Structure formats: structure tokens, C-alpha cells
Amino acid sequence: MLIEIVSSGGFGGVTTPPKKLHMDTAATSEEKRQAYCDAFDPDALSNLSLDGGNPNAADLALYTISVTDDQGQEHVFQIQEDAIPDELLDLIDGM
Amino acid sequence: MCGPTPCHNPVNCIIPPHMLRVMALRGDTSVQKMAKSMLKQNESVREERAEHTSGGMVPNAGRQGAFVTSALAFMDTRTHTCDRQIYDGDNKASLPGTPVRTEGQDPTGDPEVDRAYDGAGVVFDLCSHEFNRNSLDGNGMPLKATVHHRSKYNNAFWNGEQMAYGDGDGEIFQTFTELSVIGHEMFHGVVQFSGGLIYQGQSGALNESIADVFGTMTVQRHLDQDVYGADWLVGKGILGPNINGVALRSMKAPGTAYSDSLLGQDPQPFHMDVYVDTTSDNGGVHINSGIPNHAFYLYCMYVGGKSWEKPGQIWYRALQQINNPMATFGDWAAETLDAAIEIHGTGSWEYLMLRRAWRLVGIAV
């Protein structure tokens, strides 16, 4: 599985350069691979993308997450920061 | 009404998208959930409609009534009680984190914690003494803030309930607990509890501008600066040490806060002629806010004195009365003029100068 994450926006708006992360789970340990595959499961991300986040929030970042599964199919999701579970955000910060 | 395909949800068809957006903004948890769900279901329909409308914005022809918060019920500032609650996020995403300083406790020695605490107090004092507002919601809401949010996090935000400040990565940003930033985030809360402005397009840029206006006002009042002595910068000193810039935004000269090889040029316009049409950044909410920001600055230059006096009173009253979450720049300008008339009278110098300030940024009202 290939994972690409681009975060943009926030208090600085377009000032803040998009933060880009790239991960090939094949290049990680078996333990990490399973953790990433679970966390970035396209079905789960699809559900998160349906949650628009809190409409009263301001200055949050927008995450564009692309997942290419083992069959080579790419799934792209746009998710507001506050719709992403804390554990997944911590995982992203650690990538 | 629903087109050729059968409609399975009559409510979905009856409630127009702009009403759903307001319900998503102002409703309780269950109403928000319902409205957001409907908005998602209608996404394709809305996109189709958007091609034939002006971006979902509705014109506000004159006064449509006032949205007066419970803040106005508290007439005696002695009844206002500041309740600061500062948390340490320990560089994790979970909010609010571990409590590290509450109201009345001594400084911790952690600069981020103590700046968040002190800054929240300065903003509370501005709200209470200048606008007779008891905290962000007008009803004594605790001021909850988390510092050290996430790891090397280049952001600060208001999440609808509290403020959160990252530490920055040390390269692009080096802190977010600067007073104008704290004021900015907290006034997103004031906007929310004053009826709200939908965070998209012009209403979103107004939300951002109001946060900038009162963020810089917080700094000016703290330093007891008049409008001519102020720097009118938002986020002064938060950029990394090697970034070529003085701040994140300039209300005096939008578009000039920074010019850097990594960040590029500050994109803020100062006039409607150079309004930026974009889909990024929620329709340029942090970009086009430069236009109403500059109008406020120009008005302050005309009337002089302190920004929290005549200009601030007009802006605050307009915020309490606008009652239009989808307000355009023109709607907002008209509301500030109505507020100027209420405070200073029709044809007053204050009114005429305000009208001139709006016209100078390309908004003819």
C-alpha cells in the first residue's frame, strides 16, 4: 500500500506550505505495515471524509490522503482535521 | 423541485442548502448532524446549483433583525468572571490534554503555557471592559486552551469549543502563543456565539477578518497604543528565524507581510479589484480577509484615537446585529454603517468616514 498525505491551510491559510508525506508500507516492518494498513483503510477513510467536521471551527487544516491499494487502485479523500481520529493524527505526525 | 429522479427524503428537498448550512452552524448536536448529513447527500445537487447561482450567497436587502447574544444581558462588568483553563497537549492530538494552569494559579515557567494564560486574560478583559461581554459566549464560558498541540505543528485553531496552539516546526513557524494570534482564535469563538459566519467564501473571509480586527485590537489595547502608533500586524514574530517577513498578515498594507523563497509572497488583496477567486483555503478565507481588514484600518486612520473606541464599538455592534451567516462583504459594510448611525447618528462624521473607508476598498455602500 502506498500512502500520500498532503495537509494544507490552517491559521496561515495558503501561507503555510503544504506538508507532504509519502509512505510505502512494503518498506516497513510487518508490525508497522499492519498498523498503517488498518489506519488508512479506504473504507474507513471514506467514512471520515463524509464528516465535514465542526462547522463552527476555524483555522483547521485540510488533509488530502491518497491510498493506492495492493491492486493498484488509487483512493483519494479530503478530510478536515477535526474529523480525523486523534490516533490517526498521531500516526501521521510520526510518519 | 427534485428534478426527474424520485425524491426519497422530502425534508431534504424542502430545506434549501443555505438553511442547512445555518442549521449546521447554529443547531444543537442532533440538528448539526442532520444538517451535515443532508448537505453531504445533496452535494452533487448543490454543485450543479452552484453553477447557476452566486456561490450559495443570498443578498441581505437591508436589516433583517438583530442577533443579540446573551452577552447584552450582563450589564455590570463586576459580574464577569474569568475562568482560564490551560492544558498541555504533550505533542499529541488528543484534546484538551493535561491541565497545567487554572485561574489564579502561579506561572508554570513554561512560556507557552504562561503566554496562553496571560493572553486569554487580556482578551477576556477587552471583551468585558470595552464590550460588556462576559467571556466568548457572553455567559462566562471557561477559556480553555491547549498548548504543545501535536508534534511540530504549524498551526493554531478554534475548534468550536476551545483554542489549540502548536509549537511550530522551528523553521516556518516558531510559536503560536503570540497575543494577536490568541486574540484571533478567541474571537472566532465570539463570532460563533454571535450567530456565526459560515467558513466559506466571503462570509468565511469576514469571519477571518473579524478575528484579525479584534486580534490586533487586543494587542493595541494591551500596549495602550493609538491607531497611529500601532503596527497593524497579525502574527508578528511567529515566523521562523530565517523567513523573510515581519508577520503573517498586515492590515495596514495587505500583501506585504512577507516575501520569502519558501513561503512566496503574501497573497492578501487590499481592494475588491484584486479579489482572489479560489477554491483553496475554503474559498480564500485567509486571503480576501485583507479587504475588510484594510477597510477597518483606513477607518481607524480617519477617526484616530484608540481602535477599541469608535471603530471597535461599531464593529462589535455590527457583529451582534448582522444575523446573516452567509453575509457578503457588502452586507457586512452595510451593517457597520447601520451601527455607526445608531451610535453616532445619520450623516455624522463617523458615518461619512466609514462609508469612505469602505469605498476605498471597492465596496460601494
Side-chain angles (χ1 to χ4, degrees), chain A residues 10-17 49-61 63 81 86 89-90 92-93, chain B residues 24-25 36 40 92-94 150-151 153 155-159 173 184-185 188 192 199 208 248-249 258 263 267 286:
Chain A
F11 174 72
V14 295
T15 299
T16 311
S49 71
L50 294 175
D51 183 349
N54 187 337
N56 284 305
D59 295 327
L60 288 163
Y63 284 78
E81 182 174 359
D86 297 339
L89 288 173
D90 289 337
I92 290 170
D93 285 345
Chain B
L25 192 75
K36 284 162 65 177
K40 281 291 180 186
K92 301 290 186 186
S94 178
R150 299 184 56 182
S151 176
Y153 184 60
N155 198 19
F157 63 78
W158 164 258
N159 75 349
F173 293 104
H184 174 104
E185 297 307 337
H188 276 307
Q192 171 181 330
Y199 208 61
E208 275 301 314
L248 202 52
R249 293 187 276 276
Y258 59 86
L263 299 184
H286 294 91

Side-chain angles (χ1 to χ4, degrees), chain B residues 30-57:
Chain B
S30 61
V31 171
Q32 282 188 356
K33 190 175 179 183
M34 176 273 292
K36 284 162 65 177
S37 172
M38 285 183 170
L39 282 167
K40 281 291 180 186
Q41 290 171 25
N42 268 346
E43 200 160 37
S44 59
V45 177
R46 287 192 294 117
E47 285 173 358
E48 193 174 304
R49 283 179 183 168
E51 294 174 5
H52 306 288
T53 65
S54 55
M57 300 296 183

